[in-house]
Amino acid sequence: MELTSQIADLEQELSKVVQGEGSATAIVGLNNIHDKLNPIYDNLKNSLDRRVVLHELPARYEMEVSSTEEMELSEKCLLSLGSFKEKWSLLETKYSIIQDDIYNETLDSLTEFDSTLSARNGSVYSEWLSQMDSEIRVSDSDLEHQISIPALKDNAEKYREELQKYQIFRTEIHITTHVIGQLNNRSRNLVKFKGSMVFDQPESVVRLFKYLRQTGNNARAPISLLTPEVLKWMSDQGEDQYFYVSDKRIGSGR
């Protein structure tokens, strides 16, 4: 991009002048200019690089390269840099440019442009993440209940494993096309696993499975919990194959 190229050229010019200066005062002054300009350049380059990456977001969130406001700020920066370089070329003592209004104007315009880019980058990316989070969300209690039902356990465990992988990429600070691709793939898998879950079990069924999972019950429940509603649900869901009735008295020595 022309703007970052302009800044990079200015950085190189600064380095050349510093190397050629013999005055300690000049070197300190020029280094101060460099120390002010370099972080802004790095931040701006990162923001622009991230904008290119965010162009890979799904169509609903895909970002155009720049908005009207950003284009205007970019033009403002280019004008400031042009004036800065023109003034710079005329000065015999280069470091004295800090006394000219164009110095602060250039720093301010670059900072404003970077802040605008960065804020919009963050807003769009966060919106995309929030949308995916809402689509894949399953509460901890619902997930544990899925795992407690034999016919649903395998799907629920796959969901949990995939969610852990999704979270790794979701918390990644360095956003790349690879990260975006992984988040897309992981979220699609999670939506698929979530779609295979069953959330509308009757209260009697929920009560039975909750009892079976309680510590100390040894995966056993009293026959009173095996209501007609539970038996019908088990038959409909193919769950009855996982259960059988036993007599605690048999083999007890009575």
Side-chain angles (χ1 to χ4, degrees):
M1 186 177 182
E2 183 182 358
L3 181 58
T4 52
S5 296
Q6 290 267 24
I7 303 173
D9 290 344
L10 184 57
E11 287 275 287
Q12 292 176 2
E13 182 67 22
L14 276 168
S15 297
K16 291 177 183 177
V17 174
V18 170
Q19 292 170 8
E21 279 287 349
S23 166
T25 301
I27 291 174
V28 170
L30 290 167
N31 278 329
N32 285 337
I33 295 173
H34 179 272
D35 291 343
K36 283 280 190 179
L37 187 62
N38 192 59
I40 298 175
Y41 168 69
D42 288 341
N43 291 340
L44 185 56
K45 186 176 185 305
N46 288 337
S47 294
L48 291 169
D49 287 346
R50 178 166 289 193
R51 174 60 54 85
V52 174
V53 170
L54 292 179
H55 193 62
E56 300 298 318
L57 289 178
R60 180 179 172 186
Y61 297 94
E62 179 184 342
M63 296 184 70
E64 67 271 22
V65 176
S66 59
S67 66
T68 301
E69 178 189 9
E70 290 163 350
M71 286 297 294
E72 291 174 353
L73 289 173
S74 175
E75 291 297 326
K76 180 181 176 182
C77 287
L78 286 169
L79 288 173
S80 295
L81 280 168
S83 298
F84 186 102
K85 293 173 73 174
E86 182 179 354
K87 185 71 176 181
W88 174 271
S89 65
L90 296 174
L91 290 172
E92 187 173 341
T93 54
K94 304 296 187 185
Y95 67 90
S96 65
I97 198 169
I98 62 175
Q99 299 170 4
D100 195 287
D101 289 342
I102 193 58
Y103 173 71
N104 287 322
E105 287 175 9
T106 301
L107 294 182
D108 290 344
S109 64
L110 290 171
T111 300
E112 182 183 12
F113 184 42
D114 172 59
S115 296
T116 302
L117 285 174
S118 181
R120 186 156 164 264
N121 286 349
S123 175
V124 170
Y125 190 67
S126 295
E127 184 181 352
W128 178 58
L129 290 178
S130 295
Q131 178 63 32
M132 284 195 300
D133 288 346
S134 66
E135 291 174 352
I136 68 174
R137 185 174 294 115
V138 175
S139 70
D140 291 342
S141 59
D142 279 339
L143 185 58
E144 286 303 312
H145 185 58
Q146 300 289 315
I147 291 174
S148 72
I149 301 174
L152 303 177
K153 182 179 180 181
D154 181 61
N155 179 72
E157 288 182 338
K158 287 179 180 177
Y159 172 92
R160 185 161 61 183
E161 291 172 5
E162 192 72 359
L163 181 63
Q164 291 172 347
K165 297 173 183 176
Y166 170 85
Q167 292 294 352
I168 291 173
F169 288 102
R170 194 197 184 289
T171 55
E172 177 61 59
I173 297 175
H174 185 53
I175 309 304
T176 64
T177 53
H178 175 68
V179 169
I180 290 175
Q182 285 294 316
L183 286 170
N184 262 325
N185 293 336
R186 303 295 176 188
S187 65
R188 281 197 292 266
N189 290 338
L190 288 166
V191 168
K192 181 183 68 175
F193 294 139
K194 180 180 178 180
S196 297
M197 294 181 181
V198 179
F199 297 100
D200 57 350
Q201 297 95 340
E203 181 58 35
S204 57
V205 173
V206 174
R207 188 163 51 250
L208 170 63
F209 282 107
K210 183 176 180 181
Y211 190 95
L212 289 170
R213 296 202 62 178
Q214 285 179 351
T215 303
N217 289 338
N218 297 317
R220 297 178 179 181
I223 200 169
S224 60
L225 292 180
L226 202 61
T227 65
E229 185 179 40
V230 170
L231 288 170
K232 182 178 184 308
W233 183 89
M234 285 184 173
S235 177
D236 291 344
Q237 301 296 323
E239 290 285 322
D240 45 5
Q241 61 181 308
Y242 299 104
F243 298 89
Y244 62 91
V245 176
S246 64
D247 188 339
K248 291 175 64 176
R249 297 169 300 179
I250 297 176
S252 63
R254 291 186 179 183

